[in-house]
Amino acid sequence: MASDRRDQAVRAAVDQALLTETEPVAALLDIAGVRASAAALRAAFADVTEAPVLHAFAVKASPLVPVLRLLYEAGLGAEVASPGELALARAAGVTADRIVLDSPAKTPAELREALALGIAVNADNPQELARLDALLHETPSTSPLGLRVNPQIGGGTIDALSTATATSKFGIALRDEGARAGVVRAYLDRPWLTRLHTHSGSQGVPLSLLVTGIREVYGLAEEINAAAGRRQVDTIDIGGGLPVNFTSDDETPTYAEYARLLATEVPGLFDGRYGLVTEFGRSLLAKHGTVLARVEYTKTSGARPIAVTHAGVQVATRTVYDPVSWPLRIAAYDAKGMPKAGGPVVDQDVAGPACFAGDLLAVQRPLPLLEPGDIVAALDTGAYYFAHHYAYNSLARPGVYGFTTREDGSVRFATVRPPQTVAEIVAEAGGVRPDVLLVD
């Protein structure tokens, strides 16, 4: 079980000195779990369609080259949204035919590079289509090209992650006056537009709403093809957005449940006429990551116990700033990496090291009473947590380690990203040129 592998990895992280007094934070990634999620995604869609499906991992969920390589070897491509993410995908060996470029603010240079490489591009707006017109007039390209549309179906429980609202910044808003007809005309005027893209949201968006958005876009593809008198749109990019269960180890909802619901509600999408692209991110990795942090001190304030640890806003930014939307499960281990058990369970705060009062991983959380030297584990942090460092107080980036467990109980770690050193922090902060501003 994943929880058993995690317990083994925590003990091994202590035994192998990945977590020490001098390196008090470490991030672990369960390689077997990641592979299992990738396999489950591929199998779920293979069960409902024989058409080609490109599963393009959303690089923003974990912009770490070895992670992208692991997923590529597991049969996934990459969805990128910046020059940096494209460079990471290429460094991981992801081939151009398995990369999709999405972004609401692509520069001419980004578009030119993508077209030269043959990377698929989803344009965001009419102005970007005009740029593509000019670039393709200069130099033809083999890139599959599409347009992102916003079905304006509403939002989920997290406003910031709801991308199909009436006023979303993404794509062309289909329900605005004249917009749908304008989209159809854009395709008729551009025979090279062969894809249609939507992404209706992410965490906090229910499956039923995701399906509604995809049904709307499927209907638009049918309308375009009827107007064109041919199958001009041959691929539909349905985005990602499968929500993650952050309340237990259960991986729900599953890809199989989502694929079956789509096949039931939008059957024409799976009858072989359309190729598909998916862009899942969080759901592939979240359950397989764990942040470990040593408890440095314990205290009470207003009679409430507080454990001061070394993991806070720098590795769990979303949780610290929006704890209602992003609550984290916390597990407690002793100094040897063994699960704490047998003692009293006490409501206590788990605090981070940053110098502001809200730097808290958990508030009034029932846990075995923590002591200095114990270890707290922030669970479900494999996506959008330790890979996205926030350098508040110049806190160092933690080491990231992939792990595999053997039948004999031993654990092998592979360094994905080494811990950041103080010297590297100084260098990034202009330390090699301290006098540069001392000019007359």
Side-chain angles (χ1 to χ4, degrees):
M1 292 178 60
S3 58
D4 294 332
R5 294 197 301 269
R6 181 173 64 233
D7 288 347
Q8 289 176 287
V10 175
R11 290 195 298 273
V14 175
D15 292 342
Q16 297 183 36
L18 300 185
L19 192 72
T20 66
E21 289 184 3
T22 55
E23 297 293 347
V25 185
L28 309 183
L29 190 66
D30 182 355
I31 295 172
V34 174
R35 285 179 171 145
S37 286
L41 170 59
R42 296 180 66 195
F45 280 81
D47 284 345
V48 296
T49 184
E50 295 182 358
V53 183
L54 169 61
H55 297 293
F57 172 70
V59 172
K60 56 184 172 290
S62 183
L64 298 168
V65 170
V67 172
L68 304 182
R69 180 68 177 187
L70 173 65
L71 290 167
Y72 180 63
E73 292 298 323
L76 276 59
E79 183 265 338
V80 302
S82 72
E85 288 185 355
L86 174 57
L88 294 175
R90 297 188 70 196
V94 183
T95 55
D97 62 311
R98 301 189 68 79
I99 299 176
V100 179
L101 173 62
D102 296 321
S103 165
K106 306 179 198 73
T107 65
E110 288 177 69
L111 291 171
R112 191 173 286 108
E113 179 184 22
L115 294 175
L117 293 171
I119 289 169
V121 177
N122 288 316
D124 181 81
N125 54 69
Q127 292 173 0
E128 187 174 340
L129 282 179
R131 281 186 177 177
L132 287 171
D133 286 335
L135 290 170
L136 292 171
H137 181 73
E138 294 173 6
T139 307
S141 171
T142 60
S143 292
L145 301 173
L147 181 63
R148 179 169 182 168
V149 296
N150 169 17
Q152 293 175 291
I153 54 173
T157 60
I158 305 175
D159 288 344
L161 297 188
S162 297
T163 58
T165 60
T167 57
S168 171
K169 73 176 186 178
F170 293 104
I172 294 178
L174 279 183
R175 298 184 183 182
D176 283 12
E177 185 176 356
R180 189 182 187 98
V183 168
V184 175
R185 173 49 53 192
Y187 275 80
L188 297 181
D189 290 344
R190 297 171 176 84
W192 43 264
L193 274 179
T194 60
R195 291 188 172 190
L196 198 56
H197 175 222
T198 191
H199 177 76
S200 295
S202 190
Q203 191 69 20
V205 177
L207 296 189
S208 58
L209 198 60
L210 293 175
V211 171
T212 297
I214 293 166
R215 185 192 301 114
E216 290 286 322
V217 172
Y218 166 76
L220 177 60
E222 293 283 274
E223 182 179 342
I224 292 168
N225 287 345
R230 63 186 181 91
R231 193 165 65 92
Q232 178 173 340
V233 176
D234 59 22
T235 301
I236 299 179
D237 185 334
I238 65 172
L242 192 74
V244 170
N245 165 33
F246 285 102
T247 64
S248 74
D249 281 332
D250 295 337
E251 294 188 44
T252 56
T254 67
Y255 293 119
E257 291 167 346
Y258 183 40
R260 287 195 297 267
L261 181 61
L262 276 170
T264 299
E265 298 294 327
V266 199
L269 193 63
F270 298 94
D271 63 10
R273 291 177 298 132
Y274 291 101
L276 296 177
V277 178
T278 73
E279 300 174 354
F280 296 103
R282 178 181 295 104
S283 55
L284 281 160
L285 291 186
K287 306 299 287 186
H288 311 306
T290 304
V291 173
L292 305 181
R294 284 172 50 88
V295 176
E296 194 67 46
Y297 300 111
T298 56
K299 62 174 75 173
T300 59
S301 184
R304 180 183 298 174
I306 302 172
V308 180
T309 81
H310 289 274
V313 72
Q314 84 276 29
V315 291
T317 313
R318 289 184 174 186
T319 292
V320 168
Y321 285 126
D322 188 3
V324 174
S325 298
W326 301 102
L328 281 177
R329 292 188 296 145
I330 303 293
Y333 296 84
D334 65 20
K336 294 182 179 180
M338 301 294 293
K340 284 189 72 108
V345 173
V346 178
D347 287 352
Q348 54 201 297
D349 292 356
V350 179
C355 290
F356 68 97
D359 187 30
L360 301 165
L361 290 184
V363 176
Q364 287 187 287
R365 189 67 58 84
L367 293 166
L369 188 60
L370 293 165
E371 303 170 282
D374 283 347
I375 298 165
V376 296
L379 310 183
D380 307 328
T381 49
Y384 295 105
Y385 278 90
F386 52 72
H388 298 73
H389 187 73
Y390 178 39
Y392 199 100
N393 283 146
S394 296
L395 292 164
R397 290 189 295 267
V400 179
Y401 307 95
F403 70 87
T404 53
T405 56
R406 301 185 177 96
E407 291 184 2
D408 63 2
S410 62
V411 177
R412 175 185 176 275
F413 290 105
T415 301
V416 175
R417 183 186 69 195
Q420 186 181 30
T421 66
V422 171
E424 289 171 334
I425 293 173
V426 172
E428 288 184 3
V432 297
R433 44 187 177 276
D435 297 332
V436 70
L437 299 180
L438 302 181
V439 293
D440 295 329

